Each structure stands twice: as C-alpha cells, then as structure tokens.
Amino acid sequence: MTEIALSSLYQQLILEHYRKPRNKGVLPGATVEVHMANPVCGDEIRLHLQLDGEERVQAATFIGQGCSISQASVSMMTVRLKGKTLDEALALAARFTEMMHGSREAARDRKLGELRALQGVSKFPVRIKCALLGFDALQEAAKRVRSQADGPAGG
Amino acid sequence: MNGSAAPAGARASDRRSRANAFAARARRDFPALQQEVGGKPLVYLDNAASTQKPDAVIEAIAHYYRNDHANVHRGMHELARRATEAYEGARRKVARFLGAADPAEVVWTRGTTEAINLVASAWSHTFLGEGDEIVLSTQEHHSNLVPWQLAAARAGARLRYLELDDEGRLRLDRLPELLSPRTRMVALSHVSNALGTVNPVAEIAEQVHAAGALLLVDGAQGAPHLPIDVAALGCDFYAASGHKMCGPTGIGALWARRELLEQMEPYQGGGEMISVVERDYSTWADVPHKFEAGTPNVAGAVGMGAAADYLTGIGHAALAEHERTVLEYALDRLAAVDGIRLFGPPADERCGVVSFLLDRAHAHDVATILDADGVAVRAGHHCAQLVMKHFGVPATSRASFYLYNDTEDVDRLVEGLDRVKAIFG
C-alpha cells in the first residue's frame, strides 16, 4: 500500500471519532438493541435505536470495542441516523456499502456526511468488514423491528 | 574456551552478526522473500500462521508432478511404483524428523487440525465414555479445543482446564489436582501459537501416565522450531502441519504409538483403508493405511518430506540458536517501545513469537500500518480466544520469526511501530 492510501485511511476525522466516539453508551428504553461481532477479528458493537411511531430514529447509541475503523464508522453512523426514518437509514447503509465497494459516485454523495471520510477503507479490502460492522447491526435492527411490527412470523 | 571473556555487549553483537549471516543465507532459498511490498523489501513476520517455502520444497513438488505422478499403492505400472515410493519415502523422512522409529506410526493427515480430529473421533469412539474426563489448557489453539468439545458432547465426557499464569505458562502446579481416575486424555500444545510458550512435555507426560491417562501433543508450533523426539517427549500422540515448517498446505502428520493406532477404529471409510470388503462389513488395512481413506495428498506428502530434509540440513541446534538471538533482540527492542504491552514468558521459555499491544492503537490498525511498510504481522485472537480471555484483551498483534528473519527485520518492525504512534499519538 502506498503512503497516500495509508494517510487517506487514517484521516484525522476518523482518528478523532475513534478517540472521542459520539453517542457511546447504553440507551434506556431503546426500541431495539442488536449485538454484532466480527468473529474473525473480535470487533464487536451493541447498537441501540429508539424509534418513534413513524419508524423515525429519535436516538441511536452504541457500545463496543474494536479497531479505529469499526468504532469510528459506527460513531459517525449514529450521528447520521438521528431524525432519519428506517427506510432512509437503510438507504444510507446501501449508499455506504457502495462507497466501500469503490463507487466514486457514492463517495461524493453528501447524504453520507462525515462517513465519506471512510472512503479510503475501500482501498484496504481486509478492512471493509470493519467499516461495515455498524451498518450490519443497523440492517439487523431494521429486520427485527419490522418482524415485530408484522407480528410473530407465521403460516 | 579461553580465559579472557569478551564484554557482554561484544558477545551479543557477535551473536547478532552470526544470526544475520545465517538468515541471509537462508533467505536465498526462499523465492517469496525476494520481493518488495509497499516499495520496501518484504519483512515476513507471520511465521506462526504459515511459513514461506524454500526452492527445495517447491522443486520436489514440481518434480513429482512432472515425472512421477500416479495413484499410489496397488498400481502395477512404473509411475504407480514411483509415486508409491515417493509417498512412503516421505513418510519415512517425516518419521525420522519426529524421532519415530517406525514409519507405520505416522499417519498422513490434512494438517494438525485433522490429526487432532482423527484422535478425538477415532480414539474417543472406543475409549471415551460417559463421566470420563479430558484435560485441556486455556493456552490451546481452537484446533486442540473444539474437536474435544465435540468428542466430549458425544460421549457425555467432561472437559477440565489447566489455567495459565500471568506470563502465559501452564499452571503445572495445578495438574495433579486435575488428573483423576476418570482422566482418559490430556491434550496440550508443545508451543503456544499465541504466546510462544514452550511447555515441558516430558515432565507432563510422566504425570499423565502415572494417572493412567494418555497425552496428545499439538505440535503445530513445536515441530517447526524444536528438535522433536517423540520417544524422549514421552507423549502418546503428536500432531504436526507441513505448512508451518516450510512444507506445503493441506498436509500434516499424526504420530501415535502403534498399539494405540491398532486399537482405534478407522476415522473415515473408503478406498486404501480396507483389507476385505463384504456386503455388510469390511476389515481394515494395517496401520497407518487404516486411517488414510481415499487417494491421499501425495504431492503434499512429498513436499513435507522435502521440508523435513531441508530443516534437518539446516540443523535444529543452529535453528534454535538463531531464533533465540533474534527473539532476545526483539524482546529487548520492543520492551523499550513506549506504551507497549508484551505477552508471554521470558526468551528462554519461548519460541520466536511475540504478542503485543500498543496502548492507543488497536491490533488491526497496527497490522495495517505495518503492512504499508512491507512488514507482515498478524492481528486478532490467533485462534486462541481462551488465551485472549485469560489476559482480558480482545486481540493482539503478533510477530513470529523463523530461520530467514534477522535483527534488521526487528528494526523494521520497531520503526513501523513508531509510525503507528505518529498516527495514533
């Protein structure tokens, strides 16, 4: 890997979120709580979402441990989720995933906000899973919320 | 010996010069090490995961496929004869390498993992019953834990654990109380893959046998680095992998005492492993073939045999001295790194493995930044989650050395860590 790739991976904004994560902590009264781990590397997070009646995120927090990429990514994600509907949140996850797979267009999308700082991760294939850990939790959370809303799965 | 002792500093620097000359000679044998990564000569410090391959091994495999390949045993033609001779010749080499007098006591497997699974499955089938006990340690690689968990669940047996001390040694003072009349098997590593700790196998074997149990040794990290003499170790089973000792992947060996192999049921059924097949039953081939169902990995065996020859040519004493010198230098230099935490025992109780953590940077970030400098290390739990839990950490970075590493490789590692600190503060 080149110097440029490395400095784009470890941007100040990422290191700053790693050192001072936003929205870190438990969320009493969370609508949904998802634990997600990467068994290969041991990184893990617990994502808490509080949704209102219209599936709008009132609050998002996490606790977890892991590398700078996984922890900064989930920190930035929680900032971005506040006020979004579940559909908007899932669209954000899809957009972020496109950026991780190298889409330049996605990397220019202002909807991603600070998360765009993570675009350098796409040059490090073994680290993409780290950046996606929080979004994997988000997708699992959406699935659970909706399966609950549909009532117990049946016939 | 002469009376005038040189100053300690000069002696250490002589040893380092010798180690570096040794590594420089060895490096010429390894084509994969002649490359640059990140614009710098590759420094390969991931040997506990897998070692690089010398020309002698690569050529032996290529020669076999170019000239001698056919299916082994029972063939009536020239190539079948040659392939069989290459396969069984490699078995004799690996038997010699492990100090086994009888090549029939060496069973080819896919690696250490399959060797342990073979014992945990085939031996447990007959000899492990409800309420019996297996003693493991929290130092083990998952490959020496999970097969026993599966076997214990099938038999209704119980697992008991030998704990570690603060430096990652086995708490052998606790062994007597763990061994009971119900203990059937004790399964321990020769050398810890995560910490490098060398365990006193011979001493353990005596206690295990006095308690009427058997001892299996996971030698994945032992065979590459230490002279192995299964008779002197006194164990009952010894498992090793080709790829961790300069050989190819997909091949390994299980050594076991002949009477144990003869008492055990087969592991898998198929061709090669039978004597007579009837409609409702079959009888088994003699050991070791009873455990080698199907067309075996002949080229892999040939490669592992060539690797055993290569390491024997280097010499275990020279290899051990070299690794000790590089390890001591690494422990000294790393201990001086600000904010580092080193895991494992002192140099004289370990092989060339150093697990560490920096206080501000996660192990994966350390590995990524080192990789950008052409320094290959591993980060994670090293398939030893119980070791990580013992130390209360999720992961470590691990540098592991072999015959082709020198003190300049250690310098590159330390420079890389300076760079990590520049980024993470």
Side-chain angles (χ1 to χ4, degrees):
Chain A
M1 277 297 152
T2 65
E3 291 294 312
I4 298 154
L6 196 65
S7 53
S8 92
L9 180 67
Y10 291 115
Q11 289 194 13
Q12 282 308 317
L13 191 58
I14 295 172
L15 297 172
E16 212 251 321
H17 272 270
Y18 177 54
R19 291 189 193 112
K20 295 195 190 98
R22 319 294 196 268
N23 304 312
K24 192 156 181 181
V26 292
L27 183 59
T31 318
V32 60
E33 179 185 326
V34 169
H35 176 255
M36 191 62 67
N38 182 347
V40 179
C41 64
D43 285 6
E44 58 181 330
I45 59 152
R46 199 172 282 278
L47 178 69
H48 311 252
L49 297 180
Q50 191 184 343
L51 306 174
D52 67 12
E54 267 88 57
E55 287 193 338
R56 198 171 285 278
V57 178
Q58 296 299 306
T61 70
F62 78 103
I63 48 179
Q65 57 167 12
C67 67
S68 62
I69 305 301
S70 71
Q71 303 303 300
S73 172
V74 67
S75 169
M76 291 174 179
M77 182 188 84
T78 57
V79 171
R80 209 69 200 154
L81 287 181
K82 194 151 184 217
K84 290 205 164 34
T85 65
L86 222 39
D87 280 336
E88 288 165 347
L90 289 173
L92 185 77
R95 204 64 172 143
F96 184 81
T97 306
E98 283 170 36
M99 182 174 82
M100 283 301 104
H101 295 150
S103 161
R104 284 161 184 273
E105 190 218 330
R108 281 193 299 270
D109 191 338
R110 291 182 169 276
K111 287 202 190 78
L112 286 172
E114 287 183 340
L115 286 162
R116 285 187 298 168
L118 287 157
Q119 66 181 278
V121 178
S122 67
K123 301 278 194 319
F124 294 80
V126 296
R127 304 300 298 275
I128 291 173
K129 273 192 87 71
C130 310
L132 289 174
L133 187 64
F135 288 95
D136 289 344
L138 171 63
Q139 282 166 328
E140 178 61 27
K143 208 188 286 176
R144 285 195 203 164
V145 167
R146 288 181 170 170
S147 73
Q148 277 164 18
D150 293 346
Chain B
M1 287 285 236
N2 66 42
S4 63
R11 280 201 305 268
S13 99
D14 285 351
R15 285 180 54 214
R16 289 201 293 270
S17 308
R18 276 203 304 279
N20 290 355
F22 178 95
R25 278 195 303 278
R27 218 156 29 230
R28 287 199 286 270
D29 297 336
F30 290 80
L33 298 175
Q34 321 296 323
Q35 64 181 304
E36 295 196 339
V37 169
K40 294 182 183 160
L42 167 65
V43 170
Y44 186 79
L45 301 179
D46 195 17
N47 294 289
S50 199
T51 61
Q52 296 300 333
K53 315 306 169 199
D55 281 319
V57 168
I58 298 167
E59 292 306 322
I61 295 167
H63 181 274
Y64 166 74
Y65 274 131
R66 287 207 175 97
N67 300 281
D68 304 327
H69 174 69
N71 210 334
V72 291
H73 299 299
R74 301 179 320 280
M76 298 297 160
H77 56 79
E78 170 66 13
L79 291 194
R81 190 195 62 72
R82 274 193 240 153
T84 303
E85 176 46 33
Y87 183 63
E88 295 302 332
R91 192 192 308 273
R92 290 193 292 275
K93 290 176 183 186
V94 170
R96 246 193 332 269
F97 186 81
L98 297 175
D102 182 359
E105 294 186 332
V106 173
V107 178
W108 291 117
T109 65
R110 282 192 294 130
T112 302
T113 296
E114 191 182 46
I116 297 172
N117 273 280
L118 190 161
V119 180
S121 172
W123 173 85
S124 300
H125 178 81
T126 309
F127 295 100
L128 190 68
E130 195 169 345
D132 286 345
E133 294 174 358
I134 298 168
V135 175
L136 307 170
S137 89
T138 55
Q139 195 186 70
E140 303 313 306
H141 187 284
H142 299 163
S143 62
N144 198 28
L145 293 175
V146 184
W148 299 112
Q149 291 174 346
L150 294 170
R154 279 192 296 264
R158 178 176 170 218
L159 301 179
R160 305 193 69 187
Y161 280 93
L162 198 53
E163 303 291 335
L164 305 183
D165 70 12
D166 292 345
E167 291 190 299
R169 299 180 195 88
L170 298 177
R171 286 287 305 268
L172 289 178
D173 56 317
R174 301 261 182 88
L175 186 57
E177 65 200 67
L178 282 175
L179 294 171
S180 82
R182 298 309 304 265
T183 310
R184 296 284 171 267
M185 177 69 78
V186 177
L188 298 171
S189 49
H190 195 173
V191 175
S192 155
N193 75 304
L195 303 166
T197 316
V198 179
N199 296 318
V201 170
E203 186 189 314
I204 295 167
E206 259 181 48
Q207 294 186 55
V208 169
H209 290 151
L214 297 175
L215 177 64
L216 176 140
V217 176
D218 169 354
Q221 304 290 339
H225 302 281
L226 302 170
I228 305 302
D229 179 340
V230 286
L233 287 173
C235 57
D236 302 287
F237 300 94
Y238 194 94
S241 290
H243 75 98
K244 290 196 200 286
M245 47 174 274
C246 296
T249 55
I251 190 75
L254 171 70
W255 170 84
R257 288 193 289 112
R258 181 190 268 269
E259 68 265 30
L260 289 170
L261 290 175
E262 284 173 347
Q263 290 161 10
M264 283 156 59
E265 287 294 300
Y267 174 50
Q268 295 178 327
E272 302 275 1
M273 54 75 72
I274 46 81
S275 173
V276 176
V277 174
E278 300 289 351
R279 284 176 178 240
D280 298 324
Y281 71 93
S282 299
T283 58
W284 314 136
D286 288 337
V287 298
H289 302 107
K290 177 170 101 178
F291 296 102
E292 295 179 357
T295 297
N297 181 359
V298 184
V302 167
M304 189 167 175
D309 279 353
Y310 177 78
L311 290 174
T312 302
I314 296 283
H316 269 108
L319 180 61
E321 193 199 333
H322 169 76
E323 282 187 21
R324 173 67 66 83
T325 304
V326 176
L327 173 66
E328 283 175 357
Y329 182 75
L331 288 174
D332 278 355
R333 287 227 53 194
L334 289 168
V337 171
D338 198 30
I340 202 167
R341 178 178 174 197
L342 296 171
F343 299 87
D348 59 352
E349 295 174 66
R350 70 158 108 183
C351 278
V353 174
V354 185
S355 259
F356 62 93
L357 276 181
L358 292 180
D359 58 2
R360 299 249 172 86
H362 190 274
H364 297 115
D365 294 314
V366 170
T368 294
I369 295 167
L370 290 173
D371 180 52
D373 262 348
V375 178
V377 300
R378 187 150 291 252
H381 51 58
H382 315 296
C383 295
Q385 290 187 15
L386 299 188
V387 174
M388 300 296 118
K389 289 190 173 91
H390 171 73
F391 288 108
V393 299
T396 66
S397 299
R398 180 186 71 185
S400 50
F401 308 103
Y402 209 21
L403 70 163
Y404 35 65
N405 295 119
D406 63 12
T407 63
E408 287 172 27
D409 293 351
V410 175
D411 294 338
R412 289 271 304 278
L413 170 66
V414 173
E415 284 162 26
L417 296 181
D418 287 341
R419 198 149 168 230
V420 174
K421 286 192 288 177
I423 293 174
F424 279 86

